[in-house]
Amino acid sequence: MSDLHTVNKSPFEKNSLESCLRLSKAGSAILLYEDGVYAALKGTAVENMIASAVSDKKVYVLGPDYKARGLADDRMIDGVEVVDYAGFVDLVDANDKVQAWV
Amino acid sequence: MSDTKNFMFLNRRAPYGTIYAWESLEVVLIAAAFEQNVSLMFADDGVYELTKNQDTAGIGMKNFSPTYRTLGDYEVRHMYVDKASLEARGLTADDLVQVEWEDWETEESVDNIVEVVDSERVAELLDESDVVFSF
Amino acid sequence: MKFSIQVNEGPYQHQASDSAYQFTKAALEKGHECFRVFFYHDGVLNGTRLTTPPQDDRNIVNNWTELAEKYDLDLVVCVAAAQRRGIVDDGEAERNGKDATNIAPRFRISGLGQLVEAAIQSDRLVVFGD
């Protein structure tokens, strides 16, 4: 099985997402939450990070954080899946362990 | 207490600017006392935790750098450094402290357990661990 | 499944405490077990009962206490981190000669060994921080 990686920082503020993507194995699950959700938007300078990550990793966004920040569903990068807190719990359950890129 | 787990401490913060590095080190010492298999990974600004010649006399804070050099005595067997993070900061292994390790029973010894590894190996090591502590 | 949670940041400054609370609540509501919530670094500030947010804001400390009452949660504040940041219970007040306590109901102060034990005993450790 694979690991769940959590990223809670904006990719414009910190390199957590970049390091997470570089240091996680293919097949990993990545959950963007808190300010990490900004990475899921189309049309940003870092769009390519997530757009290419979805080819060999599963990328999730925590819906409540995305919605709280006023982000529109149609601006989300294709291939990114939205989960709620119950879905977050399911991801932790379904993967071997959690690596937090705090 | 159930069986021994492979603990990985993922250190990604520079020392002194915030307390994460120091308080992370305190958990490492306790985990080792619980006889778990403890490894440390230094990536991103975490590589600055291991630099030589730290001198905190002028900032009124405790210099906890020497503690890293004693980790071998606490049965910490592996300290890995992410090569890309090191290179991005213009550092080499020579800029980092050396940590000796010796098994008192078998007299097996290693001069320096600090090991620079590439991204792929970092990903494998994190993946192979049972628990990753993030600070 | 048995979870443990580590909270590395204080309430209000960072979303970490809120996220940890929402996650823990969701896990418990799904029938999972929470072995322990361990508060470390500034996370120990989740455990002061003197917190008084404005009426229209959430009370994160009370949220933890109420969740602990409902599910019999073990809320542990790291002693070394708590001493640095002034979180005090009766025992600590006596040991260190302090004239007051501020630990919130259902929280307890204990050592880092509690975090290590939680990691050993639990199926998953989930870390929330900055």
Side-chain angles (χ1 to χ4, degrees):
Chain A
M1 275 205 304
S2 55
D3 287 355
L4 172 67
H5 300 256
T6 60
V7 176
N8 68 331
K9 283 291 160 276
S10 162
F12 306 105
E13 187 202 0
K14 286 190 178 177
N15 70 340
S16 309
L17 176 64
E18 195 185 332
S19 293
C20 166
L21 295 175
R22 180 171 64 86
L23 301 175
S24 57
K25 299 187 71 156
S28 296
I30 317 277
L31 174 69
L32 307 171
Y33 76 112
E34 296 179 2
D35 288 346
V37 300
Y38 292 114
L41 291 172
K42 279 181 194 163
T44 74
V46 299
E47 178 180 5
N48 195 40
M49 282 167 68
I50 293 298
S52 55
V54 295
S55 64
D56 67 344
K57 289 164 190 171
K58 286 289 293 175
V59 181
Y60 301 87
V61 154
L62 191 66
D65 278 330
Y66 192 81
K67 210 172 166 186
R69 287 157 177 80
L71 309 177
D73 288 346
D74 61 6
R75 289 199 57 196
M76 194 180 293
I77 294 168
D78 296 335
V80 175
E81 202 176 307
V82 180
V83 294
D84 58 8
Y85 271 100
F88 185 174
V89 173
D90 290 341
L91 284 172
V92 174
D93 188 350
N95 286 276
D96 280 336
K97 66 175 179 294
V98 187
Q99 298 186 37
W101 296 84
V102 288
Chain B
M1 195 90 22
S2 63
D3 27 335
T4 309
K5 286 190 175 181
N6 294 316
F7 281 5
M8 178 64 85
F9 288 82
L10 177 56
N11 299 286
R12 297 180 49 244
R13 317 250 196 181
Y16 310 117
T18 60
I19 199 170
Y20 299 103
W22 184 359
E23 286 189 333
S24 163
L25 197 49
E26 291 183 342
V27 185
V28 169
L29 299 177
I30 300 287
F34 272 70
E35 300 193 333
Q36 302 299 299
N37 293 328
V38 177
S39 300
L40 281 69
M41 176 68 70
F42 298 86
D44 294 323
D45 279 352
V47 302
Y48 287 128
E49 294 178 29
L50 295 182
T51 52
K52 288 176 186 164
N53 303 323
Q54 294 178 23
D55 178 357
T56 59
I59 59 171
M61 294 170 79
K62 178 176 161 180
N63 182 355
F64 56 95
S65 169
T67 308
Y68 291 103
R69 301 185 55 194
T70 68
L71 289 179
D73 301 334
Y74 287 88
E75 299 297 314
V76 171
R77 185 64 186 78
H78 296 285
M79 295 171 68
Y80 301 104
V81 179
D82 172 47
K83 187 165 182 259
S85 300
L86 200 60
E87 286 176 352
R89 286 158 184 78
L91 301 172
T92 68
D94 291 340
D95 296 305
L96 308 179
V97 295
Q98 297 201 350
V99 180
E100 286 174 41
W101 179 88
E102 187 179 7
D103 187 321
W104 292 342
E105 283 169 15
T106 63
E107 292 187 1
E108 180 195 351
S109 70
V110 179
D111 290 343
N112 185 15
I113 60 169
V114 178
E115 186 185 345
V116 179
V117 292
D118 66 18
S119 302
E120 209 172 309
R121 185 78 184 119
V122 175
E124 276 172 16
L125 289 162
L126 293 171
D127 183 66
E128 287 164 7
S129 310
D130 295 317
V131 183
V132 174
F133 289 87
S134 306
F135 293 99
Chain C
M1 181 162 278
K2 203 190 287 183
F3 292 94
S4 279
I5 311 295
Q6 182 183 332
V7 183
N8 287 342
E9 298 299 332
Y12 304 106
Q13 183 82 23
H14 297 276
Q15 200 186 338
S17 301
D18 291 282
S19 298
Y21 169 75
Q22 298 291 348
F23 177 88
T24 306
K25 186 163 163 279
L28 293 165
E29 283 168 357
K30 286 185 76 89
H32 293 291
E33 183 190 338
C34 182
F35 179 79
R36 182 167 294 148
V37 183
F38 191 86
F39 298 90
Y40 198 40
H41 304 302
D42 279 358
V44 300
L45 299 171
N46 280 272
T48 165
R49 67 169 183 270
L50 303 183
T51 300
T52 317
Q55 280 197 341
D56 61 351
D57 198 355
R58 76 251 186 250
N59 189 318
I60 298 175
V61 179
N62 287 357
N63 282 348
W64 283 120
T65 297
E66 285 160 19
L67 198 66
E69 272 163 9
K70 187 169 177 189
Y71 292 98
D72 196 23
L73 270 185
D74 189 19
L75 305 177
V76 178
V77 171
C78 169
V79 62
Q83 285 171 341
R84 286 191 177 111
R85 294 160 181 89
I87 303 297
V88 182
D89 63 6
D90 289 338
E92 284 299 304
E94 198 179 314
R95 257 190 300 281
N96 300 306
K98 301 295 176 187
D99 61 3
T101 67
N102 60 350
I103 191 89
R106 300 292 313 216
F107 284 79
R108 65 188 180 92
I109 296 179
S110 190
L112 271 175
Q114 298 277 306
L115 171 61
V116 174
E117 188 204 21
I120 295 169
Q121 297 289 342
S122 306
D123 301 305
R124 302 283 185 276
L125 175 71
V126 190
V127 182
F128 294 89
D130 176 34

